[in-house]
Amino acid sequence: MKAVVVEQYAPIDQIALKEIAVPAVGAGQLRIKVQAASIGFVDGLKVEGRYQTRDSLPFTPGAEFAGIVDEAAGDVTGFAPGTPVLGMARSGALAEYIVVPAAAVEIMPEGLAPEAGAAFRTNYLTALYALGERGTLRAGEHLLVLGAAGGTGIAAIQVGKLLGARVTAAASTEEKRAFARSFGADDVIDYTRADWRDALKDLTGGDGADVIFDPVGGEVSVQAFRSIAWNGRHLVVGFAAGSIPALPFNLPLLKGGILIGVDVAQIAKREPEAQARVLTQLSAWLRDGQLKPVVGKVFAFTDFREAFKTMQTRAALGKMVVRIG
Ligand SMILES: NC(=O)c1ccc[n+]([C@@H]2O[C@H](COP(=O)([O-])OP(=O)(O)OC[C@H]3O[C@@H](n4cnc5c(N)ncnc54)[C@H](OP(=O)(O)O)[C@@H]3O)[C@@H](O)[C@H]2O)c1
């Protein structure tokens, strides 16, 4: 089968499609014929060996996928060959076939395209776990989403609206702000402007944001915390800007605000009940049509490098998806 294979940690231009063996199915596992896989910011870091944990070499990147069950182990029920599924794995999705534990997939809701199925799990899990479980976002509260047109950002806008929040989307270009608005943001802010906090102050009646969803990091994170409401929650999701900010400890004191870490990679182990709760709610929204995963741009398998580069150059709107089968 064809797969993207990382043999040495390196920039994406040095990574190639290779012919490798189709993986065998073990106990409790399924082999999926991948139709679409999506790329997250983390995948780019992993390929270069710059993520906080390293996949051992060689490995195939890609953590989210949609496809068709090709083979099920004898001890797995409910996933006959031919069943369409979507799922999430640590890596391996940028390949014609992936083998995963049956627990890593769910049956595709009817009518959902593979590209949308592949764009679902990580970002929406991150958004609802962050906003619902960690940030306890309540209806009527003011949510500020940084990096709002990115993969997690756009998911946070949609989930924030479903939870009943008033959502302000902060993004760097007019095109990104229009994109954020088209997926439900009530207001938009250009956070590259020096006076962006004044705009937020006006939008929140002087109070600041009750919850801040922050996948960006860098100086903008500290600025955002300065605009937090009393008892506000600032959710630390990621550092797409490349630098980890340092928050002066007097700010939580002065602002009465709370800094909260979010790491979906740890919840299956540390908070399985929260993960199950979140996935159940997301599936319900997906099945009743309230939530539609945002597909940014779709790339051919042979153009997989472009999907990475679009994200790495800050040019992506929504999730980057690679069409495989
Ligand atoms: N904690 C978790 O569990 C979890 C889960 C998923 C992802 N993450 C992390 O969240 C972060 C964002 O992921 P994502 O998938 O949303 O990424 P993304 O789609 O690339 O979006 C990131 C956004 O950050 C902004 N940004 C600011 N400076 C940037 C720069 N120098 N390069 C690229 N983007 C920049 C961009 O918006 P503007 O141009 O509008 O500023 C961009 O839209 C990553 O660090 C990822 O590792 C964490």
Side-chain angles (χ1 to χ4, degrees):
M1 69 167 186
K2 286 196 170 47
V4 175
V5 182
V6 178
E7 292 171 325
Q8 304 291 336
Y9 302 117
I12 197 67
D13 273 333
Q14 296 171 33
I15 308 298
L17 267 178
K18 303 250 160 161
E19 198 63 42
I20 60 170
V22 173
V25 173
Q29 292 181 324
L30 297 169
R31 183 168 56 230
I32 314 295
K33 184 169 179 14
V34 180
Q35 294 175 300
S38 67
I39 308 294
F41 201 86
V42 169
D43 295 305
L45 298 176
K46 282 183 176 173
V47 166
E48 295 184 14
R50 292 196 293 123
Y51 191 54
Q52 52 233 43
T53 57
R54 284 184 164 197
D55 288 53
S56 44
L57 297 169
F59 76 97
T60 290
E64 287 180 90
F65 58 88
I68 306 284
V69 175
D70 179 57
E71 188 184 334
D75 57 347
V76 173
T77 53
F79 292 102
T83 307
V85 292
L86 62 86
M88 200 163 95
R90 183 180 163 76
S91 56
L94 281 171
E96 288 178 310
Y97 292 89
I98 184 171
V99 167
V100 290
V105 305
E106 65 180 282
I107 293 175
M108 279 274 275
E110 221 166 287
L112 199 67
E115 290 84 352
F120 177 57
R121 268 287 187 93
T122 308
N123 288 343
Y124 292 87
L125 180 64
T126 304
L128 182 55
Y129 173 66
L131 298 176
E133 301 282 332
R134 304 292 282 163
T136 60
L137 178 67
R138 292 180 287 271
E141 285 194 314
H142 200 123
L143 168 66
L144 171 66
V145 179
L146 307 180
T152 56
I154 210 81
I157 293 174
Q158 292 173 290
V159 168
K161 289 308 297 174
L162 283 166
L163 295 175
R166 178 159 190 93
V167 180
T168 297
S172 65
T173 68
E174 187 49 50
E175 187 189 19
K176 289 185 176 188
R177 292 189 290 277
F179 189 71
R181 225 188 244 290
S182 73
F183 288 100
D186 298 290
D187 303 292
V188 293
I189 280 184
D190 176 359
Y191 66 167
T192 63
R193 287 176 59 117
D195 62 351
W196 73 269
R197 291 178 55 225
D198 296 337
L200 180 68
K201 200 170 175 184
D202 290 345
L203 290 170
T204 57
D207 292 336
D210 298 300
V211 174
I212 299 169
F213 182 90
D214 181 1
V216 175
E219 180 52 27
V220 79
S221 297
V222 179
Q223 294 303 320
F225 196 95
R226 290 182 187 278
S227 293
I228 202 164
W230 189 254
N231 280 331
R233 289 84 74 201
H234 186 132
L235 301 164
V236 181
V237 176
F239 310 103
S243 67
I244 297 177
L247 187 76
F249 260 39
N250 63 325
L251 286 181
L253 182 154
L254 291 170
K255 299 286 173 181
I258 306 161
L259 193 68
I260 303 178
V262 175
D263 187 4
V264 291
Q266 297 193 54
I267 61 171
K269 193 167 124 212
R270 294 182 183 274
E271 286 186 78
E273 284 166 13
Q275 169 158 302
R277 217 169 23 242
V278 169
L279 289 177
T280 303
Q281 175 64 82
L282 289 172
S283 290
W285 281 337
L286 200 58
R287 280 165 217 285
D288 71 13
Q290 287 196 74
L291 186 61
K292 293 196 175 24
V294 177
V295 177
K297 199 166 173 189
V298 180
F299 299 83
F301 198 11
T302 45
D303 293 336
F304 73 89
R305 295 181 196 87
E306 295 309 311
F308 282 83
K309 284 194 246 173
T310 304
M311 220 170 38
Q312 289 165 343
T313 54
R314 204 173 171 174
L317 280 84
K319 190 86 173 169
M320 300 297 98
V321 177
V322 178
R323 177 80 201 187
I324 294 178

